[in-house]
Amino acid sequence: MALGKSAAVVIGSFPLGESDRVVTFYSRDFGKIRGVAKASRRIRSRFAGALELFTLGEMVFFDTGRSELVRIDHFDVLHPFDRVRRDLERLGQASWIVECVARLTAEHDRHVALYALLVRSLRALEGPVPPARVAVCFGVRALETLGHRPRLDACTVCGRAYPFPRPALGAGGVVCEACAREDAGMVTARPATLAAFEWLRSERWEEALVMPIGRSENEIGAFLDAQVSRLIGQPTRTAKFLRDVRRLEPTSGVSP
Amino acid sequence: MTYYPEPVARLIEALQQLPGIGPKTAQRLTFFLLKRPVEEVRELSESLLAVKDRIVSCRTCFNVTEGDPCRICADPARDARLLCVVEEPNDLLAMERTGEYRGRYHVLLGALSPLDGVGPDDIKVKELLARLEGGETAEVILATNPNVEGEATALYLAKLLRPLGIRITRIARGLPVGGDLEYADQVTLSKALEGRREIG
Ligand SMILES: [Zn+2]
Ligand SMILES: [Zn+2]
């Protein structure tokens, strides 16, 4: 039995019983934590709206040790990130980011760098940078942080050193033309896209957000979504949501 | 659960399928029912069947009803120029309890949710559009929940309906964020309805 305290972001929730909620947090000091927030669905709850998706706060929880779920005692809002919820594209991209964090990490597995990346990305989504770019920058770095960095220096199948002509992107990284031919799941990638991927990974965050990379952004977005889907064993839910809401505005069709 | 007699295990299993009911509660309910008089339990099982036999979804507004169209859709005294969009039948009841609203409803039977992969095709959006193309409606009041899913749904509908040239309003933000509409008291909800503002 222990009392814990940490800064944390709300990354999901679902209703429990009459008026409670099970809330998933990504915390700085404990990684992913799931807990019960009693009576939080009441209109006048002591959590008073604090447990909305994307909210950053200071969480106090009690771990009884008898259940996977902790008891959420307090959550004091540090930053609500409410601007992220005010348009569908921002909301969709922020949800993709949060889905990656929720589904690529295990409970109580601490990754301070991932936590910092999450907060930084939410912050960027409140600013002028197009939301799809923020998600792509997040995705490139999140895979790296979690040890899933795609291999871009050699064919992941036969080991042939890159550069080679007509590269493709597949499971785990770049694939040469001969190996790609045997696997239907590959997407051809322009060399410019592979270069852009490297830049987004290694440049300063602020640079990566604004660097002009043209349609490589879409290609990297699609590749990242495919990578994440492969790692979690099913398509991401938020990519479907983004496709659905974009049908209203065919011009903003960027991935993920 | 093999040590329970088969009918007991079966009821526990069935109750566990209900939302918010875990194995412990299902056990408690089962043993509670075992102790009750048989008439009482029969009444319960008959009312369970009656909702499935007699209650349908209104094909116009998707409210739960005994007759189709429902009482509200069939009532000529209700203002057909006002259409209030809610997520669930419970929210419609909450609006009705205020006694303030005299228009009609459209129940979406859900809300958009990126993290659950719920898109517009998974709720009654197409049906809403079809109703509005009928032409009687002058104002659509978006009364979805004041949480992420409800706000996303309102944003989406405002954008979708804008080309129709109908006035679109959102119930006031005075409702506390994160709560369920069905838990709002009548005064708060009346105020939110009164203070609705144009969106989109
Ligand atoms: Zn190869
Ligand atoms: Zn009806």
Side-chain angles (χ1 to χ4, degrees):
Chain A
M1 292 201 276
L3 205 59
K5 194 179 165 183
S6 172
V9 175
V10 177
I11 60 169
S13 80
F14 62 86
L16 177 75
E18 276 274 294
S19 58
D20 305 342
R21 206 174 344 214
V22 173
V23 185
T24 311
F25 297 91
Y26 198 74
S27 69
R28 185 187 55 212
D29 302 334
F30 305 92
K32 186 166 74 180
I33 286 183
R34 286 196 309 143
V36 178
K38 286 268 177 209
S40 57
R41 274 155 59 220
R42 299 267 169 208
I43 284 269
R44 295 193 202 295
S45 133
R46 70 200 159 106
F47 291 105
L51 297 172
E52 284 298 283
L53 198 61
F54 313 128
T55 304
L56 168 68
E58 189 73 30
M59 168 184 55
V60 178
F61 65 92
F62 186 72
D63 190 351
T64 61
R66 277 175 289 136
S67 148
E68 287 170 38
L69 297 173
V70 301
R71 187 186 76 207
I72 308 300
D73 287 341
H74 295 282
F75 189 65
D76 295 324
V77 177
L78 296 171
H79 191 98
F81 289 115
D82 47 347
R83 284 174 61 194
V84 167
R85 298 184 219 120
R86 283 190 214 146
D87 80 62
L88 291 166
E89 181 69 21
R90 279 197 166 73
L91 173 73
Q93 299 293 1
S95 300
W96 186 81
I97 288 171
V98 153
E99 184 175 13
C100 290
V101 172
R103 300 180 79 184
L104 293 173
T105 62
E107 276 169 52
H108 299 281
D109 189 8
R110 178 169 172 250
H111 278 286
V112 183
L114 184 68
Y115 168 81
L117 181 61
L118 169 63
V119 173
R120 201 196 258 175
S121 303
L122 290 172
R123 217 159 250 147
L125 280 173
E126 291 202 306
V129 177
R133 171 59 72 89
V134 179
V136 159
C137 288
F138 166 86
V140 167
R141 286 159 196 241
L143 287 182
E144 165 127 355
T145 301
L146 293 169
H148 303 301
R149 177 177 162 186
R151 189 165 182 198
L152 297 179
D153 62 338
C155 172
T156 55
V157 181
C158 69
R160 179 177 167 198
Y162 183 76
F164 38 71
R166 286 173 292 283
L169 279 170
V174 70
V175 180
C176 76
E177 198 184 10
C179 294
R181 215 175 288 142
E182 284 155 32
D183 190 328
M186 306 280 167
V187 282
T188 52
R190 294 169 307 125
T193 296
L194 296 180
F197 193 100
E198 269 307 305
W199 286 332
L200 295 181
R201 191 181 67 76
S202 54
E203 279 293 337
R204 279 181 43 240
W205 174 254
E206 290 75 16
E207 293 291 322
L209 286 178
V210 296
M211 196 155 36
I213 57 171
R215 63 190 164 97
S216 290
E217 183 177 289
N218 287 3
E219 293 176 14
I220 294 173
F223 172 65
L224 288 168
D225 190 57
Q227 287 294 96
V228 173
S229 300
R230 191 177 61 85
L231 289 165
I232 64 181
Q234 53 182 282
T236 59
R237 293 176 178 160
T238 39
K240 174 191 180 281
F241 175 85
L242 276 165
R243 274 193 307 276
D244 281 346
V245 300
R246 274 180 192 151
R247 278 181 294 167
L248 284 183
E249 273 171 312
T251 43
S252 70
V254 239
S255 304
Chain B
M1 225 182 277
T2 45
Y3 40 87
Y4 287 128
E6 193 271 339
V8 173
R10 199 172 132 203
L11 182 56
I12 293 175
E13 181 61 34
L15 288 169
Q16 268 193 71
Q17 307 303 312
L18 301 175
I21 301 210
K24 283 210 188 88
T25 309
Q27 271 173 41
R28 211 163 48 229
L29 290 172
T30 301
F31 287 106
F32 172 82
L33 289 170
L34 272 175
K35 279 186 278 180
R36 303 309 296 170
V38 67
E39 309 80 63
E40 206 178 298
V41 178
R42 183 168 296 127
E43 167 58 27
L44 174 66
S45 72
E46 278 165 7
S47 43
L48 285 175
L49 284 174
V51 289
K52 284 314 279 184
D53 287 348
R54 307 223 311 264
I55 297 297
V56 293
S57 180
C58 171
R59 263 179 293 177
T60 307
C61 72
F62 299 96
N63 187 18
V64 289
T65 169
E66 259 189 283
D68 181 17
C70 73
R71 186 177 51 77
I72 297 173
C73 289
D75 183 353
R78 306 285 301 217
D79 189 345
R81 289 166 306 166
L82 277 182
L83 189 69
C84 179
V85 178
V86 294
E87 292 178 22
E88 300 290 348
N90 276 341
D91 302 324
L92 183 154
L93 286 176
M95 292 294 289
E96 284 294 280
R97 273 197 301 268
T98 67
E100 296 280 316
Y101 180 68
R102 298 300 303 155
R104 302 202 170 165
Y105 292 96
H106 187 86
V107 185
L108 293 168
L109 299 179
L112 298 185
S113 173
L115 286 174
D116 299 313
V118 180
D121 296 343
D122 305 310
I123 59 177
K124 302 292 178 193
V125 167
K126 262 196 303 290
E127 292 80 356
L128 172 64
L129 258 185
R131 269 182 94 174
L132 293 174
E133 274 155 8
E136 255 188 310
T137 312
E139 178 180 350
V140 172
I141 303 166
L142 301 172
T144 49
N145 280 326
N147 55 24
V148 172
E149 293 79 15
E151 292 297 342
T153 309
L155 282 172
Y156 179 83
L157 291 177
K159 208 174 225 180
L160 179 76
L161 305 181
R162 194 178 305 143
L164 302 182
I166 299 170
R167 183 171 138 91
I168 303 159
T169 55
R170 174 90 175 107
I171 52 167
R173 289 193 147 263
L175 282 173
V177 175
D180 278 8
L181 205 62
E182 59 171 306
Y183 292 130
D185 62 83
Q186 294 171 26
V187 179
T188 310
L189 202 49
S190 299
K191 285 228 175 78
L193 182 62
E194 217 174 280
R196 65 186 189 267
R197 281 200 308 251
E198 228 156 311
I199 86 163

mmCIF file with all atom_site columns, all heavy atoms in Angstrom, chain A residues 155 158 176 179, ligand 1:
data_model
loop_
_atom_site.group_PDB
_atom_site.id
_atom_site.type_symbol
_atom_site.label_atom_id
_atom_site.label_alt_id
_atom_site.label_comp_id
_atom_site.label_asym_id
_atom_site.label_entity_id
_atom_site.label_seq_id
_atom_site.pdbx_PDB_ins_code
_atom_site.Cartn_x
_atom_site.Cartn_y
_atom_site.Cartn_z
_atom_site.occupancy
_atom_site.B_iso_or_equiv
_atom_site.pdbx_formal_charge
_atom_site.auth_seq_id
_atom_site.auth_comp_id
_atom_site.auth_asym_id
_atom_site.auth_atom_id
_atom_site.pdbx_PDB_model_num
ATOM   1  N  N  . CYS A 1 155 ? 18.949 -2.507 -45.901 1.00 0.00 ? 155 CYS A N  1
ATOM   2  C  CA . CYS A 1 155 ? 17.718 -3.277 -46.100 1.00 0.00 ? 155 CYS A CA 1
ATOM   3  C  C  . CYS A 1 155 ? 17.482 -4.165 -44.891 1.00 0.00 ? 155 CYS A C  1
ATOM   4  O  O  . CYS A 1 155 ? 18.372 -4.909 -44.475 1.00 0.00 ? 155 CYS A O  1
ATOM   5  C  CB . CYS A 1 155 ? 17.831 -4.116 -47.370 1.00 0.00 ? 155 CYS A CB 1
ATOM   6  S  SG . CYS A 1 155 ? 16.465 -5.281 -47.576 1.00 0.00 ? 155 CYS A SG 1
ATOM   7  N  N  . CYS A 1 158 ? 17.721 -8.146 -46.313 1.00 0.00 ? 158 CYS A N  1
ATOM   8  C  CA . CYS A 1 158 ? 18.964 -8.793 -46.755 1.00 0.00 ? 158 CYS A CA 1
ATOM   9  C  C  . CYS A 1 158 ? 20.227 -8.078 -46.254 1.00 0.00 ? 158 CYS A C  1
ATOM   10 O  O  . CYS A 1 158 ? 21.337 -8.576 -46.438 1.00 0.00 ? 158 CYS A O  1
ATOM   11 C  CB . CYS A 1 158 ? 18.993 -8.897 -48.282 1.00 0.00 ? 158 CYS A CB 1
ATOM   12 S  SG . CYS A 1 158 ? 19.172 -7.293 -49.090 1.00 0.00 ? 158 CYS A SG 1
ATOM   13 N  N  . CYS A 1 176 ? 15.088 -3.118 -49.762 1.00 0.00 ? 176 CYS A N  1
ATOM   14 C  CA . CYS A 1 176 ? 15.561 -2.922 -51.133 1.00 0.00 ? 176 CYS A CA 1
ATOM   15 C  C  . CYS A 1 176 ? 14.532 -3.463 -52.129 1.00 0.00 ? 176 CYS A C  1
ATOM   16 O  O  . CYS A 1 176 ? 13.627 -4.207 -51.762 1.00 0.00 ? 176 CYS A O  1
ATOM   17 C  CB . CYS A 1 176 ? 16.922 -3.575 -51.341 1.00 0.00 ? 176 CYS A CB 1
ATOM   18 S  SG . CYS A 1 176 ? 16.857 -5.361 -51.508 1.00 0.00 ? 176 CYS A SG 1
ATOM   19 N  N  . CYS A 1 179 ? 13.962 -7.345 -52.275 1.00 0.00 ? 179 CYS A N  1
ATOM   20 C  CA . CYS A 1 179 ? 13.261 -7.914 -51.119 1.00 0.00 ? 179 CYS A CA 1
ATOM   21 C  C  . CYS A 1 179 ? 11.810 -7.436 -51.071 1.00 0.00 ? 179 CYS A C  1
ATOM   22 O  O  . CYS A 1 179 ? 10.921 -8.174 -50.648 1.00 0.00 ? 179 CYS A O  1
ATOM   23 C  CB . CYS A 1 179 ? 13.969 -7.538 -49.824 1.00 0.00 ? 179 CYS A CB 1
ATOM   24 S  SG . CYS A 1 179 ? 15.616 -8.280 -49.706 1.00 0.00 ? 179 CYS A SG 1
HETATM 25 ZN ZN . ZN  C 2 .   ? 17.033 -6.485 -49.440 1.00 0.00 ? 1   ZN  C ZN 1
#
